[in-house]
Amino acid sequence: MPLTELQIRNARSGEKIIQLGDDRGLYLEVHPNGSKLWRYKYRHAAKQKRLALGRYPDVGLAEARRRRDEARRQLESGIDPLMARKREKLTAAFNAANSFGDVAKEYIDKMVAEGRADTTISKVNWLLEQLQPIAAFPITDLKPMDVLAALKRIEARGKYETARRCRSFAGRVFRYAVATGRGETDPTAILRGAMIVPKVKHHAAILEPAQLGELLRSIDSYSGHAITRLAMQVSPHVMARPGEIRKATWAEFDLDNAVWKIPAERMKMRRPHEIPLSRQVLAYLEELSALTGPTGFVFPAFHTFKRPLSENTVNQAFRRLGYAVGEVTAHGLRTTASTLLNESGKWAPDAIERSLAHSDANSVRGVYNRGRYWDERVAMHQWWSDYLDQLRLGGGVVPFPEPDRTAKKSRSHLKAV
């Protein structure tokens, strides 16, 4: 006979477990400690099994019967309810151990193992910090609206570019989860149109020759630390990125052959890069050698030679010289060189791009061009340094001089990049 609520409430415990039967395999266990637990007894694959359905009174009689009926439907479909329960628990445990934050950290560890630049690793760790609102969620549970809500919080602070980068990083994490069997889809794929498109901001740069000459004279008169002055003096000539310059070591310089060889791990595109050194740059390096050489960083920090110059030092020096943020930046000097070299019409655009260490969109062509234009680049760098000197000394707009053919011939013996 089926149980009633009154029978269940009045059931008393004994020295052993007491079983009170209900109907169709459902029964109540009354334990010596007074606990009352629902059980469902069934047979599957010729084996007797039982399934726990909860504790009374948390699970009442009606709810226990509903859970029994659900298990019976699984049996009718050929599913073992007990195995289905275990599978659900394993899935829940798996999801709990594979939160978005966990998978993102694993993805970052993969980037480290692949040799990505320290600055890149720092940036993606920072992006993960911005995505903390979704970090604890199982990656399989996250929906597009969950990710969008986190991104909109960033946009609400006016950080449109940060939000865009966070969406891109999150997408890479979701795709990594799919590739490693922890995810099913990339929910960021449909969010592109929901994000505010940030306005493109170019690095501030001087593009007029007369203004460039004024800047070079200001740099020469800089009264701050000599290492900072020399960093500003070298930067316009070598066309390298600020991070590549400030982390340069003396071991990278072949002064006898006038070449700066930057290893792949320090380059943005993860390819080694070689820069011809003009007479002017060699003179600056000679002055630097007396201050910081012959080993370690070429531009060390002021308080310790164990670390490179701070990434903000040169830009702060420009501010001290009276140049606003929107006028000059260390990175903008590359734009200055690219613009004026191209406007001169004297050098192959590919040679200029190679000196700027820009990647070729065509990978096959990029590999082919890697070793080309070295002789032209040697002549171009010397011409560029000579031109900068004319601007610095002349104080006005000067005509573009002819390429220094003698410099090109004198260094033509150098091995191609």
Side-chain angles (χ1 to χ4, degrees):
M1 182 178 293
L3 290 172
T4 65
E5 284 286 352
L6 182 60
Q7 287 176 308
I8 297 170
R9 286 197 300 269
N10 292 335
R12 296 291 180 261
S13 60
E15 295 180 359
K16 297 181 180 181
I17 297 176
I18 301 171
Q19 294 185 358
L20 302 176
D22 182 55
D23 188 25
R24 288 180 289 182
L26 178 65
Y27 65 95
L28 183 71
E29 285 185 350
V30 183
H31 287 244
N33 62 3
S35 297
K36 298 175 180 179
L37 307 175
W38 291 108
R39 297 287 187 259
Y40 170 53
K41 182 169 58 178
Y42 66 97
R43 292 186 68 83
H44 181 77
K47 290 184 179 180
Q48 187 76 29
K49 298 187 176 184
R50 67 175 191 165
L51 181 68
L53 298 181
R55 178 189 299 271
Y56 181 87
D58 297 335
V59 177
L61 177 59
E63 176 62 18
R65 288 171 175 168
R66 188 194 67 77
R67 295 183 182 186
R68 174 204 58 195
D69 293 342
E70 182 179 339
R72 285 172 59 83
R73 284 192 291 272
Q74 288 180 311
L75 278 171
E76 291 170 359
S77 300
I79 300 172
D80 183 350
L82 186 59
M83 292 305 298
R85 173 79 59 81
K86 290 180 178 179
R87 190 175 296 111
E88 289 174 1
K89 289 183 177 180
L90 286 173
T91 301
F94 180 81
N95 289 339
N98 288 282
S99 66
F100 177 85
D102 291 332
V103 177
K105 289 174 183 176
E106 185 179 318
Y107 175 71
I108 294 172
D109 288 341
K110 175 176 175 288
M111 295 176 67
V112 172
E114 291 172 343
R116 303 296 291 274
D118 291 342
T119 52
T120 300
I121 301 302
S122 296
K123 287 177 182 177
V124 293
N125 275 308
W126 181 78
L127 292 174
L128 178 56
E129 291 178 8
Q130 310 310 304
L131 292 168
Q132 278 304 305
I134 62 172
F137 284 80
I139 199 159
T140 54
D141 289 352
L142 286 169
K143 306 301 180 187
M145 289 305 299
D146 300 322
V147 182
L148 181 62
L151 297 175
K152 285 298 183 181
R153 290 180 59 180
I154 300 172
E155 284 189 345
R157 304 197 303 268
K159 305 294 185 179
Y160 305 136
E161 178 63 20
T162 298
R164 185 189 69 82
R165 290 176 181 268
C166 283
R167 186 197 66 80
S168 176
F169 171 68
R172 298 200 298 274
V173 173
F174 281 113
R175 291 191 292 276
Y176 174 74
V178 173
T180 55
R182 270 92 50 90
E184 298 176 356
T185 60
D186 172 15
T188 69
I190 63 173
L191 298 181
R192 190 183 304 272
M195 306 295 297
I196 296 175
V197 179
K199 293 182 179 179
V200 178
K201 293 183 178 180
H202 298 286
H203 294 286
I206 288 177
L207 304 179
E208 294 298 327
Q211 295 176 7
L212 179 56
E214 183 180 345
L215 172 65
L216 296 172
R217 290 191 295 276
S218 297
I219 291 173
D220 286 348
S221 65
Y222 181 70
S223 59
H225 203 288
I227 295 177
T228 304
R229 171 179 56 80
L230 285 161
M232 289 192 290
Q233 289 174 316
V234 168
S235 295
H237 293 265
V238 295
M239 311 178 204
R241 297 178 178 88
E244 295 159 5
I245 295 173
R246 67 185 187 85
K247 293 182 180 180
T249 65
W250 285 107
E252 296 172 358
F253 287 86
D254 180 354
L255 299 180
D256 291 335
N257 290 312
V259 183
W260 176 16
K261 301 177 181 180
I262 309 177
E265 60 267 21
R266 289 216 307 108
M267 294 299 298
K268 179 178 180 181
M269 306 310 298
R270 318 312 293 164
R271 291 198 295 263
H273 183 54
E274 297 188 7
I275 298 176
L277 302 176
S278 66
R279 293 187 300 271
Q280 289 85 340
V281 173
L282 290 172
Y284 289 133
L285 291 173
E286 183 178 354
E287 184 179 350
L288 269 166
S289 181
L291 297 172
T292 68
T295 61
F297 291 110
V298 177
F299 301 100
F302 305 147
H303 57 287
T304 173
F305 276 27
K306 295 182 179 180
R307 288 200 292 271
L309 206 63
S310 166
E311 62 180 334
N312 294 320
T313 300
V314 170
N315 283 334
Q316 289 173 348
F318 284 139
R319 306 294 88 81
R320 289 185 61 184
L321 288 173
Y323 288 91
V325 175
E327 291 181 288
V328 179
T329 64
H331 202 287
L333 295 174
R334 286 165 52 83
T335 302
T336 299
S338 175
T339 301
L340 295 182
L341 283 168
N342 277 290
E343 285 183 353
S344 75
K346 298 179 181 296
W347 312 102
D350 281 341
I352 299 172
E353 292 299 291
R354 286 295 302 134
S355 279
L356 293 167
H358 285 161
S359 63
D360 199 308
N362 184 318
S363 59
V364 175
R365 182 174 179 273
V367 172
Y368 175 71
N369 279 339
R370 182 178 298 183
R372 300 184 62 198
Y373 304 112
W374 178 254
D375 288 346
E376 182 174 3
R377 288 179 58 212
V378 170
M380 179 178 71
H381 276 255
Q382 187 57 58
W383 177 88
W384 176 242
S385 288
D386 291 342
Y387 181 63
L388 292 177
D389 276 355
Q390 291 189 47
L391 292 178
R392 180 170 57 84
L393 298 173
V397 179
V398 297
F400 285 114
E402 290 296 320
D404 187 344
R405 302 299 181 186
T406 59
K408 178 176 180 179
K409 291 179 180 179
S410 66
R411 295 200 178 116
S412 61
H413 67 283
L414 293 178
K415 184 175 69 175
V417 178

